[in-house]
Amino acid sequence: MERQITIGMQHANWKNYLLPLFVSPVIRQFSLFFGLLVILNFLHFQADAADIYVAKNGSDTNIGNKDKPLGTLHAAIRKARELRRLNDASIKGGIKIIIDKGVYQLFEPVVLRPEDSGTKDSPTEIVATEKVVLSGGIKITGWKKLTAATLGLPKESTGKVWVADIPNFDGSDLLFRQLWVNGNKATRAKNYNGDAMGRILSWNKETQTCKIPLQKNINLANIKGMEMLIHQWWAIANLRVKSVKVVGNEAELSFMQPESRIQSEHPWPAPWISDKTGNSAFYLSNAIQFLNEPGEWFEDLKNHKLYYWPKSSENMLNADVVAPSIENLLKIEGTIDNPVSFVSFKGVSFAHSTWLRPSKFGHVPHQAGMYMLDAYKLKTPGTPDKAALENQAWVGRPASAVEITYANHTSFENCRFEHLASTGLDYRKGTSDNVVKGNLFKDIGGSAILIGTFSDEATEVHLPYHPSDKREIATNDKIENNLITDVTNEDWGAVGIGAGYVQGIKILHNEISDVSYSGISMGWGWTKTQNAMKNNTISANKIHHYGKHMYDVAGIYTLSAQPESFITENVVDSIYKAPYAHLPEHWFYLYTDEGSSYFTIKNNWTPTEKYLQNANGPDNLWDNNGPKVSQEIKQRAGLEKPFQHLLNEKAVYANRGINQAEDKSVVFELIFRDNKLPADKSMEVFAKENNLLASSIYKWNNRLVIYTSSLKVESLQQTLKRLNASEIKLYDNLFYDFTREKNCGDKPVSEWDNIILSANLVDDEKMQNEYLDYHKTQFEKWPEISKGFCNAEFQRLAIFKKDRQLMLIISIPKGKKLDDLNPKTTLNNPKVDEWNAIMKKYQEGIEGTKPDEVWVFFKPIE
């Protein structure tokens, strides 16, 4: 404002500054000097920056200043492009496109090309003055209450449904899959109400058909346009129904191509059939027969009508009803040799994008929302990169509201990405040094943010990506201090933030909540082979209320080799109990999946150490993760103070329980042929790579023992195979458990050492049962035994059984010796001697013990 006033004065007094030139020489010299200063100052300001204004009441025939603004962002970008083409002096300090408040309806994407690039000294900024919405939506008006009888409409809906004409778009009825009423997403009519789903009865891969149970009062015959959503491990599929064959209480569905073939041929993820946990869940949608509760809608393309049953709070005479019409709202499109540079968006909202691929081709995702173009199971497993690989897949990438290709030094700050059908913001390929900071991502059907190449459509997904031209790789981009909430609400297998083959990425201080699958997913390729990825950081993020629908899930998930990469100081908490999860316990806080290598995972706070390391590669370091991480680290995670106002926008959490992982002790025993145990140093490396303490590993003769948490069982059952033991045994049958707190009434010490011993029960089933019965009743019938253990300062005494072998764990205060404490068990306590004498007849040594040797001591690795 100060500069504008100054300019006005210079224009108004121009003649007054020149008049003294015609007066006295002294005055003339002084005035000349002063006048030149003013002229130079004026020219300097003119070259400082160019402002271009856009307003709802503007016109694209205007000059684009504050008094005569342009009417569209398209025109403003074109004007800026011309200023740069002509190298106008006004743009020396940059170009600022200032958009006045309002909703700007888009009929095509706003496109920025290489010619629109700024420079470091002359950037282009696109700034909102107040709330500015770039919307791809079309308002639907003219609502009337439905009074005429309508074929297929359920009886309970009579007199409650409203109807409007479908808007014309591009010469035909507007096709859409989302509808927003007063800013809230309505529900496309489906056969199960609320969050309920059915369970498939079977899936036939040969005939490519699925059987489902019939519901009462719903006739599935002759429904055109019906779709099926099916829940499959970590992804859903949207399948267009071709035909329905009803036999008794069952319906057999067949599907349209190409999704029918892909769905039945690809092996992962696939329909789940299980008597134990239930078959895959499903629901049907997009039929007027399903329109039977408030908040549901149905688009009748045959009769050009839209039907909606309003909620009690909605008045259709003045409701704001919006359907999306275009897939991309903004595209920034550079080339590898001529990228778009130095363009920023500040305070702009992007809303109401569509995504129609599921309606036209179906949608069968592979992972993280990437849909399969082709996929099948190999008859003979194995590829050059992975000897056991059994599946092949080629994927496409879903559309995004904002899409960037080959761009550097762009940024989105304080923007809003809301009411979007698929991905919110997508930095696809060839991006570097871009910043996404302080934005809101809310009510998004797919992922909030995708970045980096996942797989080109022509490249099989398991092949490592390592392009010869490094400019293709997403490099040194930063995603920080964004609130991501209520995303992946249509494609449940999409993610909060998904990073593919990225290099030098920094994902910092974001808060992610209310997502259907994983919070942050980084990596692609399922390979230990080194590739384009390295130097990546995920730090100080707060992820909670995730896994709303899908499992095989984590707050933070990684794939493939990523040298010099770090996952540090994050907080992951509160995973939902997903009602239709295939394996209800198969969820994690941190999950390094296939090929994950060269990571440092350190100082991450989680309620328990429920992590999974699946088929990892080398040189991962796990250090100090879990509930003991300092409160300072926990408090620093998530949005930093200047961005915490965004928390007012957090979605309401789903009304379902939160998982609590039960942390129990287990023992692994590894038996090696010919006493060929791994060296102690290699076991220390193994411990670091597998979230173990080296102090939890013990050895005796040809055996290793690992005393650990039940939460690590799934990981260790896979990774222990790398040690090439002839036999791996899991002891998870804890039949006796003395603890100081329970049996002595004392608080346990803060640190203790574990002593591990092993023996066999005699090979007599009756005697084995007697032994177990003694221990079941010991606390009640032999209280003196507990008294002896208390007197000896034992912190815990646990006995595990596998077949007839026993593992005994005695925990004593750190620094003390069992030889010094053990005599205290019998001090003034003859009952302990009596107990020990009875127990001897039930026990014998394990294989490899000396004659008369029963209990053997496992020593810690050195």
Side-chain angles (χ1 to χ4, degrees), residues 739-755:
T739 66
R740 189 159 197 87
E741 187 172 16
K742 178 182 68 177
N743 298 100
C744 307
D746 293 342
K747 188 176 181 180
V749 296
S750 58
E751 292 184 281
W752 61 62
D753 291 320
N754 298 310
I755 292 91

Side-chain angles (χ1 to χ4, degrees), residues 787-854:
K787 183 179 178 182
F789 295 160
C790 294
N791 193 44
E793 300 181 65
F794 289 178
Q795 304 299 302
R796 188 185 188 195
L797 196 149
I799 309 177
F800 298 85
K801 178 177 175 293
K802 175 76 173 179
D803 299 323
R804 64 189 187 96
Q805 187 175 345
L806 307 175
M807 284 288 174
L808 169 63
I809 317 296
I810 303 174
S811 303
I812 62 175
K814 194 170 187 65
K816 296 199 174 184
K817 296 181 179 179
L818 183 62
D819 288 345
D820 297 332
L821 298 180
N822 200 43
K824 296 181 181 181
T825 61
T826 59
L827 185 65
N828 300 319
N829 197 347
K831 273 289 196 178
V832 175
D833 287 327
E834 183 182 346
W835 171 271
N836 290 337
I838 295 172
M839 292 303 107
K840 282 183 180 180
K841 69 177 182 178
Y842 296 107
Q843 302 161 354
E844 62 184 25
I846 63 175
E847 184 181 348
T849 54
K850 299 173 183 177
D852 299 324
E853 185 179 21
V854 179

